[in-house]
């Protein structure tokens, strides 16, 4: 085996092992009223400290890092219908983003509660 080709094969294998795998959600949709149990499936979840998962602009509840390949959570209420980004922020500063990964469906009889912002404050749903 030629030295250049051997280096290329070894370098490709090292890069593939060092990179986290693609992330996916199961299921990838749920009701706008929140509380949907979902799992994030991927890799490299351990060793980064605790995780906060955002579904759209709101943080998920009951976030549990089950093992290096699974995180379970319950979705928050939706701020809008349709697809939203899902972001995982770990305690060590590592962040992973899944663009437009979760889709909120309208639930009959459950209107959306608006989110109000104040500069420098954390967004919260209105009490109305």
């Amino acid at each position: 085996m030629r030295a250049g080709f051997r280096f290329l094969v070894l370098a490709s294998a090292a890069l593939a092992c060092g990179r986290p795998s693609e992330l996916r959600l199961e299921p990838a949709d749920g009701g706008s009223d929140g509380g949907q149990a979902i799992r994030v499936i991927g890799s490299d979840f351990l060793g980064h400290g605790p995780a906060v998962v955002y579904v759209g602009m709101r943080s998920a509840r009951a976030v549990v890092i089950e093992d290096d390949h699974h995180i379970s959570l319950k979705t928050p209420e939706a701020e809008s219908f349709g697809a939203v980004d899902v972001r995982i922020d770990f305690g060590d500063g590592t962040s992973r983003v899944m663009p437009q990964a979760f889709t909120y469906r309208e639930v009959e009889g459950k209107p959306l509660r608006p989110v109000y912002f104040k500069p420098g404050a954390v967004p919260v749903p209105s009490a109305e």
Side-chain angles (χ1 to χ4, degrees):
M1 187 183 279
R2 294 178 43 207
F5 180 71
R6 186 177 353 192
F7 173 77
L8 182 61
V9 169
L10 291 174
S12 297
L15 285 174
C17 292
R19 251 186 300 172
S21 67
E22 257 188 61
L23 302 173
R24 73 179 194 275
L25 295 179
E26 289 184 359
D29 65 339
S32 60
D33 56 346
Q36 170 77 38
I38 62 173
R39 288 178 98 191
V40 180
I41 300 170
S43 67
D44 194 33
F45 295 148
L46 296 177
H48 299 288
V52 177
V53 179
Y54 293 92
V55 182
M57 294 187 295
R58 295 182 175 155
S59 60
R61 298 175 184 95
V63 176
V64 176
I65 301 174
E66 297 175 5
D67 56 39
D68 200 40
H69 301 282
H70 301 94
I71 297 175
S72 62
L73 59 102
K74 292 196 182 272
T75 59
E77 285 184 7
E79 67 266 4
S80 63
F81 301 121
V84 295
D85 294 349
V86 176
R87 187 178 86 233
I88 307 168
D89 289 341
F90 292 96
D92 69 354
T94 302
S95 186
R96 311 263 305 270
V97 178
M98 294 175 279
Q100 305 292 293
F102 188 79
T103 302
Y104 278 112
R105 294 183 321 270
E106 184 173 358
V107 175
E108 190 175 325
K110 301 264 183 161
L112 291 177
R113 291 183 4 192
V115 177
Y116 294 106
F117 295 95
K118 276 193 221 176
V122 176
V124 294
S126 73
E128 299 175 5

